[in-house]
Amino acid sequence: MLTPQWLDQLRSRTALSALIGRSVRLQKAGREHRACCPFHNENSPSFYVNDEKGFYHCFGCGAHGDAIRWMTDHQGLAFMDAVKELAAEAGMDVPAPDPQMARAAEKRDSLRDVMAAAQEWFKASLSGTEGAAARAYLATRGFDAHTVQRFGFGYAPEGRQALKDALSRFPEAMLIEAGLRIAVEERDPYDRFRGRLMLPIEDARGRVIAFGGRILSKGKTDAPKYLNSPDTPLFDKGRTLYNLHRAAPAARQSGRMVVVEGYMDVIALAASGIADAVAPLGTALTEQQIEMLWRHVETPVLCFDGDAAGQRAAMRAITRALPLLRPAHSLRIVRLPEGLDPDDLIKARGARAMEDVLGDAKSLVEVLWEAERDAVPLNTPEDKAGLKARLMAHVETIQHPDIAGLYRRELQDRYSEFAFPRRESRWQQGGGQNFQPRSNQRGSGKWNGKPAPAPSSPESISRLNTRYGTGGTASGSRDALSAAIVAGLIRWPAQLARHAEALARTPGLDPRFETLVDCYGAADSLETGVLATILHESGLAQPSAAEYAGLRFGFLLPDTSEEQAAAELAQAIDLLVERPVLEAALATATARFESELSESAFAEQQRLLKRKLEFDSRLRQMATRHAS
């Protein structure tokens, strides 16, 4: 029985700083340790670990807990798994669970009975008359009977009450808690999965904890193509990898684990003989899933489709992995040929071609470099300076000091080779002379060897930044311009597809943009209310008028036409995308001037300051154009 006294003894035998220090770089701070918080992005340390008191706390996001909480929240373990692992390290025997935990375990077991019964019913439905369409679809995918049986394909018949009638021996409340039925106010509950090809989602022990369903009717455009179970006491999609219980034994043989985008890709690979593949479940790869992969292989291979969505998914995975990197643990990344997913590639060229593609996986640092280099045109010095700023911003998120230093050197070398290609020097031709800055004469506009004031006072720029949201943008920042554009995209959802790629590759944006960009593929069928609901379900608030008070963009006004709103929204997004690049270039130029005190550095800084003021003026004119 896990009494409070036993758990306290377990905590007292665990050195919390040593436990957390395995995956987070800690610095000694008096009687505590501190670090940048591993639960949210930040630039200055606000995460503290106190060994004497036995807890960690972040003053930025509020994350708080002890050794057990660390193992569950950060390492992704279930409570009992966390206790067993800590007890093994502390040399303690784990007693039988206490009654409360036994009741929770009993509840989970009862839900597992529900899921097992539902799986048997789905499988039987696939074999029946109603499952003809599902069987026909499986035949088009080329899955043989062994694959269909191994992965447990089933079918959810049409009908809002079919599953309830089939599982009538279970209380309806249990069906709802298991995610099989949906309860709504003032209406009868109804089956979540209807008219879909069904796949069981299993835990690391092969027990059914959730389901995924693919729609079969091409005429249903108002429903998602793939639908997964919601989070339940059994299922947490951010901490689950599809097919892990089959892929883990295969990975021990191959020394490799492949991560693809969806469960149909996993099955296509398995049918072709590639058994070490897993997939996330409707979300970008999470930090917990990365840690789960590293428990099996040191360098899993991430395989993404060769389209723009695949590129965005790769970058999201990279940004989440960078803070977690540790010696010998990283990611390798593959991008499939344009327009092909794993199933298409295997059908067109065979399993050998897929193995060849996986064998050519690139390192994380190489993909990071290529993605940022190709993100925007690099035609001007400002563009190139923006590239360097974006690369160094990524490096700053890496917690491990040695890895951060190596990444900085590697990316700087690549940048220097790109931005300053080797060419014949005029000094080698004998034409070189020592550089002598010309003395400044009144009105000449040349540098006089002393720092000069900016073309506008800091106070005036600060006022402008406060009113129109043109100041520096730390990661995940929110400001008036961002809030106004989020509100505009929610009001005009058809514009998401037009601007999704530009927003996806712009660093440091309001986190609401990422949620909206993830919806853009279905923008034509989404409505304002749906986007607002999606934001709410993601834990994000819809922008309020107070967030962009004083901004009079046309796309926010009630009588604006769709054509006018589209034009003004495009102008505002252009400013939003340009802002971090311009500010990064200005920061780089200012740092160069302060270190070199050269005429060319001074001229570059002044040119960018002038461009910044022009940018602020453009934004001010846009934001007040419709003021009465």
Side-chain angles (χ1 to χ4, degrees), residues 428-449:
Q428 296 174 346
Q429 299 175 352
Q433 297 178 7
N434 292 333
F435 169 71
Q436 295 290 338
R438 288 174 286 179
S439 60
N440 186 36
Q441 298 176 4
R442 186 177 182 84
S444 68
K446 302 297 181 182
W447 180 56
N448 62 5

Side-chain angles (χ1 to χ4, degrees), residues 282-304:
T283 66
L285 202 64
T286 66
E287 290 85 350
Q288 293 82 8
Q289 289 168 334
I290 293 171
E291 291 287 354
M292 290 170 65
L293 291 167
W294 281 343
R295 291 184 201 135
H296 299 280
V297 296
E298 292 184 339
T299 312
V301 178
L302 276 52
C303 180
F304 296 100

Side-chain angles (χ1 to χ4, degrees), residues 455-535:
S456 181
S457 70
E459 292 76 16
S460 64
I461 293 180
S462 177
R463 288 195 299 270
L464 196 66
N465 291 345
T466 300
R467 184 172 182 183
Y468 298 105
T470 61
T473 55
S475 177
S477 68
R478 297 185 179 185
D479 53 39
L481 175 60
S482 296
I485 293 174
V486 170
L489 289 172
I490 293 174
R491 185 181 176 197
W492 306 99
Q495 297 302 310
L496 272 172
R498 178 180 177 186
H499 302 291
E501 291 190 16
L503 292 171
R505 64 177 179 241
T506 302
L509 290 184
D510 185 313
R512 291 175 286 196
F513 282 112
E514 181 177 358
T515 300
L516 294 179
V517 166
D518 286 342
C519 303
Y520 93 99
D524 291 338
S525 61
L526 289 175
E527 298 177 351
T528 294
V530 175
L531 290 177
T533 300
I534 291 172
L535 281 178

